[in-house]
Structures are given as structure tokens and as C-alpha cells.
């Protein structure tokens, strides 16, 4: 019989490698759909490459820029290549391959995340069912949630989030099957590396370690190998007070030395039990295990305002991925459909009954379930296990109903395709744009030509990382530092006093630098003195500011309009009570139709230009001002500004270039963002307009 012929009874090693390669290429090819969708759109290209589609990616890309080109040396928030595995590998790949940094960051998520097919197939092979793993790999590698967070352009640590724990799970499961201490060593080495790849998932690995200990002691407590394995795992889980990257090297050396010692047959089981128990206690204490898990849970379920003496608004509830999700969304993201999740649930229960060691996957399943409360980002961890569980159910049904191996695999394949199809449909429809367009990037690159690396650009935190990457300036808040300082940026954008905007901008930046980059709001405001006094004082031209050490810029992009009410939430607070100060009205929309003098907007609002009256639902409101603004090559110019009703409570701005209407209250109309960006009005004694385009304005603060 030809050895190379495919054996349906048992797949050979070479054939298994072929299946892995096929599954990997399938995963990678599916991720090229997004590239194909936008490959001919010049608006999404910069430096001859498609740009990435996640804001956080620019955090890591800035770290790679620092390692490769020495940029951002004055930015306290940019980390180095040894701080994050994604920065390390990005730097490495850019240096050793002919590809540019832009190309590496674009495709690296697809290259890395597709490796998840390897542990899925290897786990199935442990139980002599390689084809189960193959079909599960096809499904799990492209399922809704995993795809969303690892697609081409989604340059973030999420590419390691589920792939790395699956390798750890494989080695842990292998140690329960072959009972070889070497498998526990490999699992321990993988555990050591995991925080370098994905530090946010530390709680998951802790959970896997604890459940592994419980499983081994419960089912294999009579064996010495159990306690030797636990010693290695607990050592790998314990943090070391050693500077990066030497901590990883020290951890490896310790594990190899201990492993060499544990291989000896003359160690009494009682001594191994005592040692493992001591290490468990040390791990729980030094790793702050329960504190870490509680902190993670609390950070994603907290609501309202946070209290640090004062009442600042908590940011998590404005972040979409941290909000509660519906069960339908939960089902789709884990398995692609409600039916898929049902099959996966049944399959996992049967899988644990038939192979009890699969209880080790419970932390991945549990964190996926937590997504119902903590937000959609957590669903990604459960995807590989869900795919394995669903396909295992297919395999079991095939075993019971069909005798021929070929027909069993055909059945499994057809059922898997049935679950893959809704995920493919989602992938085709999920045509997310890049973070910025080419024209928006041009504005920041112009700023880079004007500013120096020590300068600061103040804007909302969504744009912090791209500001670093393209303008080489620092920021006060960003995607990872959006805390009490959100209050300051919100106040700047909503302030009706240009003097207060200039003074607060200078004061905030100089205080931030002088206080070794700590939270500015905690420095400027105190519970002992009413914060209103400082905010009022900042409106005075005579307010004494710190010595100017660098330039400060205000970045006001057009895209902030869609989140402007959310920006306002953070500054619209009485810091002493946490109560909302006023109702912010800001409705950006477009024209649906026009009947005579009445303009019907897409959000249902009707504006009668003849009478200057707005109908919002069943309520009627007078318009105080109506402005028509059109962009010209040298900036925006107001073609018409009309006072309709002196006693009017609302204002309307028609942004002709965007075909966009914005309805807002009078105070918001007088805010810095509306006046300086939308209406192109600024105090020339306080600000210089240094960059102006259809997509945004950047001002230099003169004070």
C-alpha cells in the first residue's frame, strides 16, 4: 500500500501537516477579502499601502517607529519592543523582510492569527481524530468574533489573544494524555511567553492554571507526575521581579533547571506535594490572582462616575466593546449563528463528559460567557473551543449514524460548511474602513512638518495614537490613557471662552510634563477648593500660566462631529456632586427631502426656513441662528449667518460642503469646536490656524 495515500482511518504526520497548511491558507485567504474590497480605493492608501483599520494599532506601530527610526523619544506613552510582543515581532519582521512597516502592520494580524489552526488540529490529534480538528480549524479560524479582531488591518495584540491560549491548552491536555513531564514543561514555557504576547489575558492563564491543578489533583492525585507538573506550572505563573526582557530568560532558565531536577525518580511524592502546595500559595499571593480577576471584572461592569475625591465620568460605558450585548449578538460572535452556538454548547458538554480534561478549556468558555455583561470583546476567547465543540458533535453523530469513514467525513464537512457560510456572509458585509483617510492623514503629516517631537496635540482620545504616528507629537489622552483627563479635553472643546481654552491648554500640558506625566486633572482640581474657581479664573487674560516650554496644538477633526455629544458628557459635570450641568443638544444629520421652505432631516427633525422654527417630534422650538458654511480652498467661509429669533433656544448650521445639517443648543453653538472648526472663527490673539482642510483644523496655542 502506498504510504503517501491518504489513510481515512488514521492521518499520517505528513498528511496532518498538509491539513494544517490548507487550513492556514484558508484562514489567510478569507482575510484577504477585506483587501480585495478596498484595494482600488486611493482614499485608504498611505505610502503606497492600505492603512490599518484599528485606532489602537497606532500605539504599537508608534513603538515600532521608535525602535526602527528613533521617533517619539520624547513621548512618555510610547513603549519599546521588549514591552510588547507585537512591537518586537513588527520590528523584527520589518528588519529581516523586504516589506515596509506599513505592509507588516497591515498583514501581520492575518499571518499570526491564522496560526490558531495548529493547536486546534493538534488537540484533536491527541484523541486520534485529526479530521475533527481540521474541520474545526476551518470554522474557528474565521468565525465572526475571531475574524473581526484579527482581520487584515486589525493590527493589535488580539492576534495573539485566542491563538496563544490554545497552544497552552494543547500542552496541558497533552500532559493529561501522555502523562509526560515534558508536556507540562512546554505548557509552562508557553505560559511564560503569553504575557509578552497578550498581557491583558493574564487572568485567563491564571484560570487555566488553577483548573489544571484541580483537575490533576482530583483525577491523578496518586501519581508523582501530577505534582511535578504542578510545580512547573506554578513556577511559570509566578511573576518575577526582574526587568524585561531578562525576566523571560530567567523564567526559562529556572523552569529548565527545575525540570531537570524533577526528572529524577528518587524524589518522594510527599515532598513533591508539599512543594507544589507551597508554590500554589506563593502564586496566589505574588500573582495577586483574585485581585487581578476582580479588577478586570469591575473595570468592565462599572458605570456612572468614578470618585477620586471628585466625581469624574467613567469611560467604560461609552466604549462600544465594553457595553452589554444581546444574546443574538453573543451567539453570532461566538459561533456565527444561534444554531451554531446551540450545537457548540451541546458539543462542549458531551466533550467534557467523554474527555474530562476538556474542563481545562472552561476559562476560555467562561470569559466568552462574561461577554454578555462585560462587552463583545470577550467573545473572541471562546471561538476556538466553540468550533471544536460543534464539530465534535458532528463527528459523534457521524460515528453513530454512518459506518463508512468517507461518508462520516463528508457529513462532518457538509455540517461544518453550514456553520461557515453565515460567517463568510458576515465577513463580506464587514467592510470596515481604515481609521483615517489619506486626506485626514495629510493634515497630521502637515502638523509633523510644523511641530517638534516635544510638542503636544490636544484632541479626543480616539485620535491619540494616530496623532503620535503621523505627527510625532504627544497627547494628553489616548486609547489607553482615557481617565480623569478626559474632563480637561471635553472642557476645551465645549468651552465658550477662547481665553479659557488657551489658558487651560497651556496649563494642562505644562503641568503634565512638570508632574512626570501623571493625571493632570488630579493635580489641577482639589476637593478642598471648588474646581469652578479655577475654571472661572482661567477665563481671565491675566491668569498666571507656567513658563512655556513647548508648543501646544488643538486638533479638531470633522469626524469628531459624530461623537461630539459623547465628548461633552465628560466635561458636563459638577465635579463636586457628579451631577450633569446641562442638557447638551447636538444632532448632526443630512437632508432627507424638502417641501417648500420645510427641510426634512434624516433624524426626523423638520426645519422651516421661512419661520425659523424646528419641529422635533411633537415639540416645537425657535431657532436663534442659522448659518450656512461652505469650504473654500483657503478655509471655510460663512456665506450666510441669520438671526431668526432673539429668544430662540436652538441654532442650526448647514455645512454645505458635507450636505450636513447640525441642530444644537445655543451654548454648544458658542463652543470652541463649533466656532473654531465648523464656523472658522477664532481669536487671532490666542490661536494660529496652522492646518486647515475639509477634514479638520489644527490650531497652535499662542499663550
Amino acid at each position: 500500500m502506498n504510504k503517501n495515500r491518504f489513510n481515512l482511518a488514521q492521518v499520517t504526520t505528513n498528511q496532518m501537516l498538509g491539513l494544517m497548511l490548507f487550513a492556514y491558507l484558508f484562514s489567510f485567504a478569507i482575510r484577504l477579502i477585506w483587501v480585495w474590497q478596498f484595494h482600488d480605493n486611493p482614499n485608504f492608501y498611505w505610502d503606497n499601502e492600505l492603512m490599518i483599520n484599528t485606532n489602537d494599532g497606532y500605539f504599537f506601530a508608534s513603538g515600532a517607529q521608535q525602535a526602527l527610526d528613533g521617533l517619539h523619544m520624547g513621548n512618555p506613552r510610547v513603549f519599546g519592543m521588549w514591552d510588547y510582543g507585537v512591537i518586537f515581532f513588527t520590528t523584527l519582521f520589518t528588519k529581516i523582510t523586504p516589506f515596509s512597516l506599513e505592509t507588516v502592520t497591515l498583514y501581520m494580524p492575518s499571518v499570526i492569527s491564522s496560526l490558531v489552526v495548529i493547536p486546534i488540529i493538534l488537540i484533536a490529534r491527541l484523541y486520534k481524530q485529526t479530521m475533527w480538528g481540521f474541520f474545526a480549524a476551518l470554522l474557528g479560524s474565521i468565525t465572526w468574533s475571531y475574524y473581526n479582531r484579527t482581520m487584515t488591518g486589525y493590527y493589535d495584540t488580539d492576534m495573539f489573544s485566542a491563538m496563544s491560549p490554545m497552544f497552552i491548552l494543547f500542552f496541558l491536555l497533552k500532559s493529561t494524555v501522555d502523562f509526560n513531564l515534558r508536556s507540562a514543561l512546554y505548557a509552562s514555557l508557553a505560559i511564560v511567553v503569553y504575557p509578552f504576547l497578550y498581557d491583558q489575558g493574564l487572568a485567563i492563564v491564571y484560570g487555566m492554571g488553577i483548573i489544571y491543578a484541580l483537575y490533576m489533583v482530583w483525577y491523578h492525585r496518586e501519581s508523582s507526575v501530577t505534582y511535578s507538573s504542578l510545580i512547573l506550572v506554578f513556577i511559570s505563573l509566578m511573576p518575577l521581579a526582574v526587568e524585561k526582557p531578562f525576566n523571560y530568560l530567567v523564567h526559562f532558565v529556572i523552569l529548565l533547571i527545575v525540570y531537570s531536577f524533577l526528572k529524577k525518580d528518587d524524589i518522594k511524592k510527599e515532598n513533591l506535594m508539599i512543594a507544589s502546595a507551597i508554590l500554589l500559595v506563593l502564586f496566589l499571593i505574588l500573582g495577586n490572582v483574585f485581585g487581578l480577576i476582580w479588577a478586570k471584572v469591575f473595570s468592565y461592569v462599572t458605570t456612572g462616575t468614578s470618585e477620586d475625591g471628585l466625581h469624574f465620568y467613567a469611560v467604560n460605558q461609552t466604549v462600544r466593546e465594553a457595553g452589554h450585548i444581546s444574546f443574538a449578538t453573543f451567539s453570532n460572535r461566538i459561533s456565527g449563528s444561534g444554531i451554531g452556538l446551540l450545537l457548540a454548547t451541546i458539543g462542549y458538554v458531551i466533550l467534557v463528559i467523554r474527555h474530562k480534561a476538556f474542563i481545562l478549556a472552561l476559562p476560555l468558555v467562561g470569559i466568552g460567557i462574561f461577554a454578555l455583561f462585560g462587552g463583545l470583546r470577550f467573545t473572541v476567547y471562546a471561538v476556538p473551543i466553540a468550533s471544536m465543540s460543534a464539530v465534535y458533535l458532528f463527528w459523534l453523530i457521524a460515528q453513530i449514524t454512518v459506518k463508512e469513514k468517507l461518508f462520516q467525513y463528508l457529513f462532518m464537512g457538509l455540517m461544518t460548511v453550514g456553520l461557515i457560510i453565515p460567517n463568510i456572509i458576515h465577513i463580506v458585509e464587514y467592510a470596515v474602513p481604515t481609521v483615517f483617510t489619506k486626506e485626514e492623514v495629510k493634515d497630521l503629516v502637515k502638523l509633523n512638518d510644523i511641530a517638534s517631537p516635544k510638542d503636544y496635540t490636544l484632541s479626543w482620545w480616539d485620535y491619540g495614537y494616530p496623532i503620535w504616528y503621523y505627527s510625532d507629537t504627544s497627547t494628553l489622552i489616548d486609547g489607553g490613557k482615557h481617565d480623569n483627563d478626559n474632563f480637561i479635553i471635553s472642557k476645551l472643546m465645549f468651552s465658550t471662552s477662547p481665553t479659557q481654552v488657551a489658558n487651560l491648554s497651556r496649563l494642562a500640558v505644562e503641568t503634565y510634563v512638570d508632574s512626570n506625566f501623571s493625571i493632570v486633572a488630579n493635580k489641577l482640581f482639589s476637593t478642598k477648593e471648588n474646581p469652578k474657581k479655577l475654571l472661572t479664573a482661567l477665563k481671565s487674560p491675566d491668569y498666571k500660566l507656567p513658563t512655556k516650554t513647548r508648543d501646544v496644538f488643538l486638533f479638531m477633526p470633522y469626524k469628531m462631529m459624530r461623537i461630539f455629544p459623547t465628548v461633552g458628557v465628560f466635561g458636563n459635570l459638577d465635579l463636586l456632586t457628579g451631577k450633569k450641568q446641562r442638557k447638551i443638544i447636538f444632532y448632526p444629520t443630512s437632508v432627507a427631502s424638502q417641501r417648500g421652505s420645510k427641510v426634512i432631516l434624516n433624524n426626523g427633525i423638520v426645519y422651516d426656513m421661512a419661520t425659523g422654527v424646528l419641529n422635533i417630534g411633537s415639540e416645537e422650538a425657535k431657532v436663534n441662528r442659522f448659518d450656512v458654511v461652505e469650504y473654500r480652498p483657503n478655509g471655510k467661509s460663512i456665506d450666510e449667518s441669520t438671526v431668526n429669533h432673539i429668544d430662540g433656544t436652538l441654532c442650526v448650521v448647514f455645512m454645505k460642503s458635507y450636505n450636513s445639517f447640525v441642530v444644537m443648543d445655543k451654548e454648544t453653538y458658542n463652543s470652541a469646536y463649533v466656532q473654531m472648526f465648523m464656523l472658522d472663527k477664532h481669536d487671532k490673539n490666542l490661536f494660529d490656524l496652522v492646518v486647515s482642510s475639509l477634514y479638520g483644523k489644527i490650531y497652535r496655542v499662542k499663550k
Side-chain angles (χ1 to χ4, degrees):
M1 182 176 177
N2 190 344
K3 290 196 299 181
N4 294 322
R5 187 176 177 182
F6 198 85
N7 186 351
L8 294 177
Q10 178 57 46
V11 178
T12 66
T13 299
N14 287 339
Q15 291 166 349
M16 179 195 70
L17 294 175
L19 292 173
M20 283 183 180
L21 179 61
F22 183 91
Y24 180 89
L25 293 176
F26 171 78
S27 172
F28 187 84
I30 292 297
R31 284 166 170 77
L32 293 181
I33 290 175
W34 182 84
V35 177
W36 174 78
Q37 288 174 323
F38 293 116
H39 77 282
D40 58 351
N41 189 332
N43 292 323
F44 294 156
Y45 276 79
W46 186 258
D47 277 351
N48 299 315
E49 187 59 89
L50 276 170
M51 291 180 283
I52 60 176
N53 48 47
T54 173
N55 295 60
D56 288 355
Y58 287 107
F59 170 84
F60 303 104
S62 296
Q65 279 183 325
Q66 186 181 79
L68 293 165
D69 304 315
L71 301 178
H72 317 298
M73 299 307 293
N75 190 331
R77 294 276 302 139
V78 174
F79 287 75
M81 62 184 291
W82 293 112
D83 294 303
Y84 290 95
V86 67
I87 299 178
F88 171 81
F89 286 110
T90 301
T91 304
L92 179 66
F93 294 157
T94 304
K95 283 186 174 181
I96 67 175
T97 69
F99 302 117
S100 66
L101 175 61
E102 286 72 25
T103 298
V104 170
T105 55
L106 178 71
Y107 289 101
M108 190 171 159
S110 298
V111 171
I112 298 295
S113 65
S114 295
L115 293 173
V116 74
V117 303
I118 296 175
I120 290 177
I121 292 175
L122 287 175
I123 288 172
R125 190 169 179 81
L126 283 175
Y127 300 94
K128 296 180 173 53
Q129 289 297 330
T130 306
M131 295 303 294
W132 159 37
F134 170 68
F135 290 122
L138 296 178
L139 173 61
S141 63
I142 56 92
T143 296
W144 196 312
S145 181
Y146 191 64
Y147 172 83
N148 282 13
R149 303 191 73 85
T150 61
M151 63 185 292
T152 303
Y154 200 94
Y155 175 69
D156 201 346
T157 53
D158 290 87
M159 66 181 84
F160 298 106
S161 61
M163 180 271 291
S164 298
M166 288 302 291
F167 274 104
I168 296 172
L169 179 63
F170 163 67
F171 288 120
L172 291 176
L173 287 172
K174 190 173 186 297
S175 74
T176 69
V177 173
D178 62 18
F179 239 65
N180 190 323
L181 188 60
R182 185 178 298 174
S183 298
L185 172 66
Y186 294 153
S188 301
L189 295 174
I191 288 171
V192 170
V193 173
Y194 186 60
F196 182 58
L197 302 177
Y198 192 73
D199 63 327
Q200 297 181 49
L202 198 58
I204 297 171
V205 179
Y206 281 178
M208 292 175 71
I210 292 171
I211 290 185
Y212 177 72
L214 293 174
Y215 172 84
M216 293 293 282
V217 172
W218 183 263
Y219 289 105
H220 305 288
R221 54 183 172 272
E222 300 301 326
S223 174
S224 296
V225 177
T226 290
Y227 305 101
S228 296
S229 299
L230 293 183
I231 288 172
L232 292 175
V233 170
F234 290 148
I235 289 175
S236 69
L237 289 169
M238 278 194 293
L240 296 181
V242 181
E243 188 177 346
K244 293 180 180 179
F246 302 107
N247 59 328
Y248 303 111
L249 179 61
V250 171
H251 233 140
F252 282 179
V253 171
I254 291 174
L255 283 170
L256 291 173
I257 291 174
V258 173
Y259 169 72
S260 299
F261 179 76
L262 292 174
K263 283 198 304 181
K264 298 178 181 179
D265 296 328
D266 56 349
I267 305 175
K268 293 183 179 180
K269 185 177 72 173
E270 291 75 13
N271 293 336
L272 293 174
M273 293 174 64
I274 294 171
S276 61
I278 293 173
L279 288 171
L280 170 61
V281 173
L282 289 175
F283 153 59
L284 294 175
I285 296 174
L286 298 178
N288 187 29
V289 175
F290 299 110
L292 173 67
I293 294 173
W294 170 247
K296 285 290 183 183
V297 172
F298 181 77
S299 68
Y300 281 93
V301 298
T302 184
T303 59
T305 58
S306 64
E307 291 190 40
D308 287 326
L310 298 171
H311 295 255
F312 292 95
Y313 196 81
V315 71
N316 283 340
Q317 297 310 303
T318 68
V319 181
R320 181 175 176 266
E321 67 177 21
H324 293 188
I325 60 175
S326 67
F327 188 78
T329 300
F330 171 78
S331 303
N332 288 337
R333 290 185 67 86
I334 289 182
S335 296
S337 63
I339 294 176
L341 181 63
L342 176 62
L343 295 171
T345 303
I346 297 172
Y348 183 68
V349 172
I350 297 174
L351 193 52
V352 171
I353 292 173
R354 292 171 64 95
H355 302 289
K356 295 181 176 58
F358 268 88
I359 198 73
L360 301 182
L362 194 58
L364 296 172
V365 175
I367 199 71
I369 295 173
F370 177 70
L372 285 168
F373 313 98
L376 51 81
R377 67 176 302 175
F378 294 102
T379 53
V380 67
Y381 301 100
V383 167
I385 302 302
S387 67
M388 292 198 73
S389 300
V391 178
Y392 183 79
L393 181 61
F394 300 155
W395 173 82
L396 190 62
I397 294 172
Q399 288 285 303
I400 296 172
T401 58
V402 183
K403 291 184 178 181
E404 292 292 331
K405 281 286 184 182
L406 176 61
F407 293 112
Q408 290 177 357
Y409 292 152
L410 285 175
F411 173 79
M412 291 171 63
L414 289 173
M415 296 298 290
T416 302
V417 168
L419 294 187
I420 285 176
I421 287 174
N423 289 289
I424 297 292
I425 292 173
H426 161 72
I427 289 168
V428 173
E429 294 174 347
Y430 195 66
V432 296
T434 56
V435 176
F436 279 169
T437 63
K438 178 175 67 175
E439 297 302 321
E440 290 170 326
V441 170
K442 282 183 179 179
D443 287 347
L444 291 177
V445 171
K446 288 177 184 176
L447 175 60
N448 189 18
D449 295 335
I450 298 168
S452 74
K454 70 175 184 178
D455 295 339
Y456 275 71
T457 302
L458 305 185
S459 190
W460 197 237
W461 62 264
D462 294 53
Y463 320 120
Y465 299 148
I467 288 172
W468 300 356
Y469 187 82
Y470 290 113
S471 75
D472 194 18
T473 59
S474 302
T475 58
L476 196 62
I477 58 176
D478 55 60
K481 181 183 177 290
H482 40 68
D483 42 42
N484 297 348
D485 287 343
N486 289 350
F487 176 82
I488 293 173
I489 303 300
S490 178
K491 277 296 181 187
L492 291 177
M493 296 299 166
F494 274 83
S495 175
T496 58
S497 167
T499 301
Q500 184 188 55
V501 173
N503 285 341
L504 183 55
S505 297
R506 172 62 55 196
L507 178 63
V509 168
E510 299 297 348
T511 302
Y512 180 60
V513 175
D514 188 57
S515 61
N516 197 27
F517 314 110
S518 58
I519 298 175
V520 182
N522 295 352
K523 295 284 184 180
L524 297 183
F525 306 110
S526 169
T527 55
K528 297 178 181 178
E529 186 176 350
N530 194 328
K532 289 182 181 178
K533 291 184 179 180
L534 174 59
L535 292 172
T536 301
L538 288 169
K539 295 179 180 179
S540 170
D542 300 323
Y543 183 85
K544 188 175 180 180
L545 291 168
T547 303
K548 179 179 177 179
T549 63
R550 64 206 66 231
D551 273 330
V552 177
F553 299 90
L554 298 175
F555 176 48
M556 298 178 174
Y558 168 71
K559 62 172 51 191
M560 193 190 292
M561 281 183 58
R562 63 183 175 82
I563 62 168
F564 196 51
T566 301
V567 173
V569 166
F570 292 84
N572 190 33
L573 287 176
D574 184 323
L575 292 182
L576 295 180
T577 65
K579 293 182 179 179
K580 183 170 68 174
Q581 291 180 324
R582 68 181 182 90
K583 181 181 179 181
I584 295 174
I585 297 175
F586 190 84
Y587 303 137
T589 185
S590 56
V591 178
S593 61
Q594 185 171 354
R595 299 171 189 168
S597 64
K598 291 186 177 181
V599 178
I600 296 91
L601 305 178
N602 276 319
N603 57 6
I605 295 175
V606 179
Y607 174 48
D608 191 328
M609 293 190 292
T611 62
V613 174
L614 282 165
N615 289 97
I616 305 176
S618 59
E619 297 182 3
E620 191 175 87
K622 295 179 180 179
V623 172
N624 175 255
R625 297 185 67 91
F626 174 59
D627 292 282
V628 178
V629 186
E630 184 175 9
Y631 177 78
R632 301 256 175 99
N634 60 347
K636 289 192 176 91
S637 59
I638 299 174
D639 292 340
E640 180 182 354
S641 182
T642 307
V643 177
N644 289 336
H645 298 278
I646 296 177
D647 60 341
T649 58
L650 299 177
C651 298
V652 177
V653 175
F654 174 46
M655 304 179 75
K656 201 170 182 179
S657 301
Y658 309 95
N659 192 29
S660 175
F661 270 79
V662 185
V663 178
M664 66 194 85
D665 61 86
K666 285 173 65 176
E667 188 169 343
T668 301
Y669 174 84
N670 290 313
S671 69
Y673 179 76
V674 173
Q675 292 293 310
M676 297 173 73
F677 169 68
M678 292 174 61
L679 302 180
D680 195 20
K681 292 181 179 179
H682 67 280
D683 188 329
K684 292 179 173 57
N685 295 317
L686 299 173
F687 308 99
D688 279 331
L689 178 60
V690 295
V691 178
S692 178
S693 77
L694 186 63
Y695 302 93
K697 289 187 179 293
I698 302 176
Y699 291 90
R700 177 194 282 117
V701 178
K702 287 186 173 182
K703 299 197 77 172

